[in-house]
């Protein structure tokens, strides 16, 4: 059994979860579930990123302690997980003792090695926002936006991590490991970034300005700043769990690839003598009306509202079907409803109803045994064989949207098969051959539906359970074996009916 450790970005607690956060959770969960189903020993980590200036400031504005704010927001993110059917094994908070201890140990190790030194940090500082600004924060004309108030250049003693001395190593590492970053074109972006000389990374803030952080073990007048704290969560969560490290994949959004995950993190690990992850899986952004969904853009809708209305499976299906991993995707209620209606309510939902209905009407609610297959059965069976092979291969290559496209083409073919065999006509015939064909067609419909439903398990676990339930199917053995066309349903008792994906009220179509 292979160890498969998978992580996702830990969410900042300075805003409520939106569709982008939901997506990353679902994407990572689909990968984790797929690996569990194919026999790997999976450890799936998520959590919250709780320190920093913004949390300190928001708490102050609310007149509460940062810990209190972090507790409430972290609970909100955590509460979202079961609602989205996320199968994480662990949830780490950067304010937990287990995390702080490991961050301090790592800092000390790098300090003792001489990779951390004290120097002078020079930058533009906004007193109103209590933060250093970057060149990118300037207005196009070079002035500073109003929100920053007075901005002055200041020099402050701080601690630095020797990134620059590892630039050559990282360059060579990436040349050797061409598929460290998925998709590959994102690795090219990292290589581009490394063509310019790296600056050493400022990793501290004086405690008098920022108290909400982890104190440096070698100088308690400072706390460690942002990435040195956040990135270490992947390691601190499993530092005392033998055999879990290294991660197979870190799943993250494209905004935090360069430099944090692709430059700082590999260098931090390498410098500390810790094995590197297998790779970094980078997804794109959910956009709406051309801009990134985010709290600050004010276009964030609560994904849990969709879960309340349509169920977690429907949202999970939409997110995975619609997004090509790595690229951006559009989110709107209309797009969601279009997928929901055509794929889930129509194609899959109708198929389930027809299968139940006809088995009940023409076979007394017990799936008959198939007799000899005709051309139509052989065709459907052949299509399944090809679909299954490609589906599994595509899952292994993170091509979930095409895998689902193929699977739903198979579901459409089952519906076409139903039309072709028209069991309702065969049921009226007294001819023996028609009766036999009726049995074969009912068995074929039920089996094909069972296979499609089993295949959907990593994406729509609840729907798979429901379909199994109404087909009288009790899964046995390995998932990959369950995906083999056979006669497992012969004699199974079917339920009366199942409304899997109810059609939304007409008003649901209006955003
Ligand atoms: N706390 C850091 C990550 C630290 S990991 C050591 C952070 N937090 S975040 O809350 O801002 O974002 C969490 C994840 O959600 C990131 O991977 C980010 O890319 C992703 N998304 C945030 N908005 C998004 C979209 N609109 N679409 C898809 N995912 C995006 O960054």
């Amino acid at each position: 059994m292979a160890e498969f450790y998978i992580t996702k970005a830990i969410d900042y607690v300075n805003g409520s979860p939106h569709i982008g956060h939901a997506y990353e959770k679902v994407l990572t969960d689909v990968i984790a579930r797929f690996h569990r189903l194919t026999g790997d020993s999976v450890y799936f980590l998520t959590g919250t990123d709780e320190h920093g200036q913004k949390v300190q400031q928001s708490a102050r504005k609310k007149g509460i302690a940062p810990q209190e704010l972090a507790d409430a927001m972290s609970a909100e993110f955590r509460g979202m997980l079961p609602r989205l059917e996320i199968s994480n094994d662990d949830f780490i908070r950067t304010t937990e003792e287990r995390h702080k201890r490991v961050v301090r140990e790592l800092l000390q190790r790098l300090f003792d090695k001489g990779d951390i030194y004290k120097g002078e940090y020079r930058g533009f500082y906004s007193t109103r926002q209590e933060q250093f600004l970057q060149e990118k924060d300037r207005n196009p004309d070079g002035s500073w936006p109003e929100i920053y108030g007075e901005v002055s250049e200041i020099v402050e003693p701080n601690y630095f991590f020797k990134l620059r001395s590892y630039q050559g190593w990282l360059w060579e590492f990436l040349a050797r490991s061409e598929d460290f970053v998925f998709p590959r074109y994102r690795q090219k972006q990292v290589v581009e970034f490394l063509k310019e000389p790296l600056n050493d990374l400022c990793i501290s803030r004086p405690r008098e300005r920022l108290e909400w952080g982890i104190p440096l073990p070698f100088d308690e007048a400072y706390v460690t700043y942002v990435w040195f704290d956040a990135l270490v969560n992947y390691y601190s969560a499993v530092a005392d769990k033998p055999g879990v490290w290294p991660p197979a994949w870190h799943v993250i959004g494209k905004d935090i690839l360069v430099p944090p995950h692709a430059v700082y993190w590999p260098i931090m690990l390498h410098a500390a003598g810790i094995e590197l992850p297998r790779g970094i899986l980078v997804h794109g952004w959910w956009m709406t009306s051309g801009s990134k969904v985010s709290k600050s853009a004010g276009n964030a809708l609560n994904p849990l509202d969709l879960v309340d209305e349509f169920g977690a499976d429907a949202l999970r299906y939409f997110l995975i079907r619609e997004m090509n991993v790595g690229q951006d995707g559009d989110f709107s209620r209309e797009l969601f409803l279009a997928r929901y209606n055509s794929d889930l309510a129509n194609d899959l939902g109708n198929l389930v109803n027809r299968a139940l209905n006809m088995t009940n009407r023409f076979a007394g609610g017990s799936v008959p045994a198939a007799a000899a297959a005709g051309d139509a059965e052989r065709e459907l069976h052949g299509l399944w064989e090809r679909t299954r092979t490609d589906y599994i291969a595509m899952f292994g290559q993170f091509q979930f949207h095409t895998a689902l496209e193929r699977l739903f083409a198979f579901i459409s073919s089952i519906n076409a098969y139903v039309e072709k065999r028209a069991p309702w006509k065969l049921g009226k015939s007294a001819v023996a051959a028609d009766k036999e064909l009726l049995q074969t067609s009912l068995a074929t419909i039920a089996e094909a539906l069972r296979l499609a439903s089993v295949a959907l398990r990593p994406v729509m676990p609840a729907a798979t359970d429901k379909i199994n339930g109404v087909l009288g199917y009790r899964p046995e053995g390995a998932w990959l074996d369950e995906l083999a066309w056979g006669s497992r349903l012969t004699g199974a008792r079917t339920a009366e009916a199942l409304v899997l994906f109810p059609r939304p009220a007409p008003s649901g179509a209006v955003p």
Side-chain angles (χ1 to χ4, degrees):
M1 213 199 266
E3 281 292 340
F4 187 84
Y5 175 32
I6 187 159
T7 71
K8 60 171 287 307
I10 49 171
D11 301 311
Y12 283 134
V13 293
N14 54 9
S16 287
H18 57 64
I19 201 83
H21 298 113
Y23 171 66
E24 192 175 89
K25 288 173 179 56
V26 171
L27 172 65
T28 315
D29 185 64
V30 168
I31 302 170
R33 284 179 185 268
F34 173 68
H35 277 267
R36 272 192 214 104
L37 288 168
T38 52
D40 289 342
S41 165
V42 172
Y43 197 82
F44 169 11
L45 174 74
T46 179
T48 40
D49 188 355
E50 306 187 11
H51 289 124
Q53 197 80 43
K54 287 209 174 118
V55 176
Q56 179 172 305
Q57 279 168 353
S58 314
R60 203 174 284 160
K61 267 189 212 143
K62 288 185 180 333
I64 56 174
Q67 186 68 58
E68 200 180 322
L69 179 66
D71 286 349
M73 291 308 298
S74 177
E76 194 178 330
F77 277 96
R78 194 174 200 155
M80 195 182 183
L81 299 169
R83 305 280 313 280
L84 291 169
E85 300 173 306
I86 305 300
S87 63
N88 57 304
D89 299 286
D90 196 354
F91 186 93
I92 188 154
R93 301 183 55 189
T94 53
T95 48
E96 281 176 83
E97 240 358 272
R98 61 168 170 164
H99 174 71
K100 294 193 228 174
R101 183 177 51 78
V102 174
V103 169
R104 284 165 61 90
E105 271 170 21
L106 213 65
L107 282 163
Q108 187 68 54
R109 200 189 303 179
L110 295 174
F111 183 73
D112 292 345
K113 249 187 103 201
D115 280 339
I116 291 176
Y117 64 93
K118 199 167 188 181
E120 282 196 331
Y121 186 77
R122 182 181 292 273
F124 292 98
Y125 188 76
S126 147
T127 322
R128 184 184 295 168
Q129 298 294 338
E130 298 179 21
Q131 70 180 86
F132 278 104
L133 304 177
Q134 313 283 321
E135 282 304 319
K136 67 175 168 49
D137 297 323
R138 286 185 194 267
N139 287 323
D141 67 2
S143 63
W144 297 103
E146 183 56 34
I147 48 157
Y148 296 123
E150 194 188 327
V151 175
S152 46
E153 195 174 12
I154 61 169
V155 178
E156 180 179 274
N158 259 314
Y159 286 89
F160 289 82
F161 174 52
K162 285 187 179 168
L163 271 192
R164 186 177 298 171
S165 36
Y166 291 99
Q167 180 160 6
W169 166 79
L170 184 58
W171 180 269
E172 277 162 27
F173 168 77
L174 291 173
R176 276 198 311 276
S177 327
E178 280 185 334
D179 55 0
F180 183 65
V181 181
F182 178 93
R184 273 195 183 200
Y185 58 82
R186 295 248 172 248
Q187 177 141 337
K188 295 213 175 85
Q189 227 175 294
V190 185
V191 172
E192 273 310 305
F193 182 82
L194 287 176
K195 285 184 179 159
E196 298 294 319
L198 285 179
N199 290 323
D200 287 347
L201 177 67
C202 180
I203 57 144
S204 68
R205 289 293 182 266
R207 230 164 151 178
E208 69 217 22
R209 279 204 299 106
L210 177 66
E211 349 144 22
W212 188 233
I214 303 174
L216 299 183
F218 42 84
D219 189 344
E220 302 268 340
Y222 289 86
V223 296
T224 185
Y225 189 60
V226 191
W227 288 107
F228 227 94
D229 178 344
L231 287 162
V232 176
N233 89 88
Y234 304 134
Y235 185 65
S236 61
V238 299
D240 60 355
K241 294 188 177 64
V244 178
W245 191 266
W249 296 98
H250 292 309
V251 179
I252 57 162
K254 64 180 186 180
D255 47 324
I256 53 173
L257 174 67
V258 186
H261 280 81
V263 179
Y264 304 162
W265 184 227
I267 291 183
M268 282 163 66
L269 289 171
H270 176 71
I274 300 170
E275 203 178 329
L276 263 61
R278 149 75 190 80
I280 303 173
L281 174 58
V282 188
H283 62 76
W285 287 340
W286 282 96
M287 314 283 285
T288 187
S289 316
S291 50
K292 180 191 179 206
V293 173
S294 72
K295 189 196 161 210
S296 48
N299 58 4
L301 99 179
N302 183 351
L304 295 181
D305 291 345
L306 286 171
V307 171
D308 286 339
E309 221 177 325
F310 300 98
D313 274 8
L315 178 60
R316 289 171 63 104
Y317 175 74
F318 172 80
L319 294 173
I320 299 300
R321 169 66 184 84
E322 205 71 19
M323 187 74 118
N324 180 344
V325 176
Q327 294 174 16
D328 293 344
D330 280 323
F331 185 86
S332 74
R333 192 176 162 91
E334 287 84 349
L335 286 167
F336 175 83
L337 280 172
R339 278 271 165 235
Y340 180 89
N341 283 324
S342 74
D343 298 8
L344 301 182
N346 261 351
D347 292 354
L348 181 59
N350 273 347
L351 174 61
V352 173
N353 276 328
R354 287 167 120 185
L356 296 180
N357 202 332
M358 290 184 300
T359 313
N360 291 329
R361 246 170 86 199
F362 303 117
S366 166
V367 178
D375 281 349
E377 287 74 25
R378 273 194 291 274
E379 225 171 85
L380 193 63
H381 187 164
L383 178 63
W384 169 248
E385 294 299 326
R386 295 191 296 281
T387 306
R388 178 185 57 173
T389 309
D390 293 350
Y391 188 81
I392 294 168
M394 287 168 180
F395 260 63
Q397 295 153 8
F398 312 121
Q399 299 299 306
F400 305 110
H401 69 298
T402 21
L404 289 176
E405 188 180 12
R406 293 289 298 278
L407 189 68
F408 274 76
F410 175 67
I411 290 171
S412 295
S413 300
I414 313 176
N415 278 318
Y417 170 85
V418 175
E419 295 295 330
K420 179 161 194 177
R421 283 297 186 224
W424 49 91
K425 284 189 193 149
L426 296 170
K428 286 190 194 136
S429 166
V431 181
D434 284 346
K435 290 196 164 154
E436 203 177 278
L437 191 54
L438 173 63
Q439 301 217 330
T440 299
S441 60
L442 294 178
T444 303
I445 296 162
E447 178 62 359
L449 170 59
R450 180 190 72 81
L451 292 163
S453 150
V454 168
L456 281 170
R457 181 175 277 291
V459 183
M460 299 204 283
T464 303
D465 283 343
K466 283 187 200 159
I467 298 173
N468 284 348
V470 294
L471 285 178
Y473 172 58
R474 258 180 241 100
E476 249 171 39
W479 183 69
L480 290 173
D481 296 339
E482 270 192 89
L483 290 172
W485 187 294
S487 54
R488 293 173 186 240
L489 287 178
T490 307
R493 305 288 314 172
T494 51
E496 280 287 298
L498 170 69
V499 183
L500 200 53
F501 297 105
R503 283 189 182 285
S507 63
V510 183

